[in-house]
Amino acid sequence: MGNSFSRYEARAQKKLEMLGGGFTLLAIESSCDETAAAVLKGARDVVSTSVHTQIPIHQKYGGVVPEIASRSHVERIGSVVSDALEKAGVGFSDIDAIAVTYGPGLVGALLVGVSYAKGLALSLGVPLAGVNHIAGHIAANYITHKELEPPFVCLVASGGHSHILHVKDYMSFELLGCTRDDAAGEAFDKAARVLGLSYPGGPLLEKLAAGGDKNAYRLHTGFNTTQSLDFSFSGIKTAVINIIHNAEQKGEAINRADVAASFQSAVVETLCDKSVRACMIAGVDKLVLAGGVSANKALRSRLEECAKAYGLSFYCPEFKYCTDNAAMIGCAGYYALMRGCRSDLSLNAEPALRL
Ligand code: KG4
Ligand code: ZN
């Protein structure tokens, strides 16, 4: 292993030096319940994408079952990569570099992508970039907005994370605020579940909320009166559960759409208020939204409205790059490689990786 390892290192380094910038990059994402691959030409041009979603598999359990997720990634990763290459009209020998998510996420799921990417990088003699999943979500915006460059403030709201970050450069992030407990997407999913919606409940709760009155219930998120840029969604989730259970126990009818609309509105207002304040504190004039919850139209439009009111430019990803995908990992991996951040074959899955 020692010899083949150093030969790989030397070949990979040489390849990266020769390429300069316009390389063909294969990206792989397997941190949760989506097995995804993408081919990019340079940083922001997505040539092809392929994704196998496990949502129907996990739906009957009401959430992601980690062991089942890992097994499904193992079964699908080869065909998902082949599909992305075929759609791009390239073969393995055309790949100049590989990017892969190595954290945060489910350890068994991450290991599948990381092991596959390391094996492929070694056999092809190409450079490898381990990518932080959250940096990937942020990078989804570079694909959609070709002109967007740091510095900016980014609200990353997904199923596993809710952060407000000062993105100072492509690889430099300062955490300004984060959730003290549940992530925003997690709160949507848990509230949706008690409202009788299936997994993942975020998009279904949004649909239900569209027919409801957001002023019907006085719901609040935690930390929304403090100067802190942190937030808490666990209390509002419990409040929704209590409303539903109390009504059930009393045999009272409840307007589920009103509950959904009130919940969504309270979460959206908190996210908007803290994100705009973060821009003022960081002294930036660009506000960027990322992560699975960025697909929520109420959040997109309210955040845009708030940004405008404070003279900020607003950016969010195209819908297809909001939830987990490999194109965003490829874009973040490109910037890592161009800044000399290359992973070697000791790259490991890091479930609790921080930015
Ligand atoms: O980024 P993502 O695909 O996975 C993680 O990195 O966690 O985010 C998935 C989360 C889920 O909690 C899902 O319910 C939520 O994003 N989500 C939404 C919407 N679409 C996805 N939440 C609210 N409204 C939506 N339209
Ligand atoms: Zn994600």
Side-chain angles (χ1 to χ4, degrees):
M1 184 67 191
N3 265 344
S4 64
F5 184 91
S6 48
R7 272 204 304 276
Y8 156 74
E9 286 290 291
R11 275 205 313 269
Q13 184 59 40
K14 194 161 170 230
K15 182 136 206 168
L16 197 60
E17 280 163 14
M18 277 161 46
L19 288 167
F23 47 81
T24 300
L25 189 142
L26 171 68
I28 295 167
E29 153 65 38
S30 71
S31 66
C32 190
D33 57 354
E34 250 98 39
T35 318
V39 174
L40 279 82
K41 193 84 188 158
R44 302 186 182 205
D45 285 332
V46 181
V47 186
S48 70
T49 59
S50 181
V51 56
H52 171 256
T53 179
Q54 300 174 7
I55 287 174
I57 303 173
H58 298 292
Q59 230 154 21
K60 58 175 171 284
Y61 306 103
V64 178
V65 183
E67 180 59 23
I68 295 175
S70 313
R71 283 165 193 268
S72 176
H73 285 305
V74 171
E75 283 166 15
R76 293 292 179 151
I77 193 152
S79 56
V80 165
V81 167
S82 302
D83 185 46
L85 294 177
E86 202 175 303
K87 282 180 184 160
V90 298
F92 282 114
S93 58
D94 299 306
I95 298 169
D96 298 314
I98 297 174
V100 64
T101 309
Y102 74 108
L106 302 170
V107 67
L110 288 163
L111 270 173
V112 177
V114 169
S115 309
Y116 185 95
K118 287 201 296 186
L120 192 57
L122 176 63
S123 67
L124 298 175
V126 298
L128 174 68
V131 173
N132 183 306
H133 184 78
I134 299 169
H137 273 302
I138 297 166
N141 279 282
Y142 301 135
I143 297 171
T144 301
H145 307 284
K146 308 290 184 214
E147 77 290 1
L148 177 64
E149 285 186 14
F152 53 77
V153 160
C154 186
L155 166 65
V156 185
S158 73
H161 323 277
S162 289
H163 295 328
I164 299 178
L165 296 153
H166 183 183
V167 181
K168 297 180 171 178
D169 187 27
Y170 289 99
M171 303 277 298
S172 167
F173 310 92
E174 184 192 350
L175 183 66
L176 300 175
C178 69
T179 180
R180 297 284 183 109
D181 38 55
D182 291 359
E186 187 183 356
F188 266 91
D189 293 342
K190 287 176 177 168
R193 191 175 179 166
V194 77
L195 285 165
L197 306 168
S198 69
Y199 177 83
L204 299 174
L205 190 147
E206 180 184 3
K207 274 198 194 122
L208 183 61
D213 172 8
K214 67 178 180 163
N215 298 313
Y217 293 88
R218 289 174 63 80
L219 293 174
H220 300 285
T221 61
F223 282 87
N224 65 356
T225 52
T226 71
Q227 284 305 305
S228 165
L229 294 178
D230 286 350
F231 20 73
S232 159
F233 298 118
S234 148
I236 192 170
K237 167 201 72 187
T238 308
V240 169
I241 294 170
N242 287 343
I243 289 170
I244 304 292
H245 286 174
N246 285 344
E248 276 170 4
Q249 278 163 6
K250 289 182 193 156
E252 287 172 5
I254 198 147
N255 186 326
R256 289 160 59 253
D258 284 351
V259 178
S262 304
F263 166 84
Q264 177 174 268
S265 168
V267 172
V268 164
E269 286 308 317
T270 296
L271 292 174
C272 291
D273 170 57
K274 304 249 170 180
S275 304
V276 168
R277 267 200 288 134
C279 288
M280 304 302 143
I281 290 167
V284 301
D285 60 1
K286 285 181 263 186
L287 177 57
V288 174
L289 176 61
V293 185
S294 66
N296 185 285
K297 292 189 198 76
L299 176 61
R300 289 164 83 101
S301 62
R302 182 76 180 122
L303 202 51
E304 181 165 24
E305 195 177 84
C306 293
K308 267 196 189 140
Y310 284 86
L312 306 166
S313 311
F314 175 70
Y315 303 84
C316 58
E318 288 170 69
F319 284 108
K320 64 180 173 186
Y321 297 129
C322 288
T323 46
D324 290 351
N325 65 89
M328 66 184 197
I329 302 302
C331 180
Y334 173 93
Y335 287 110
L337 288 167
M338 290 308 287
R339 276 164 169 68
C341 298
R342 204 162 54 75
S343 307
D344 63 25
L345 296 181
S346 65
L347 184 71
N348 203 357
E350 291 192 31
L353 182 69
R354 287 167 180 268
L355 261 184

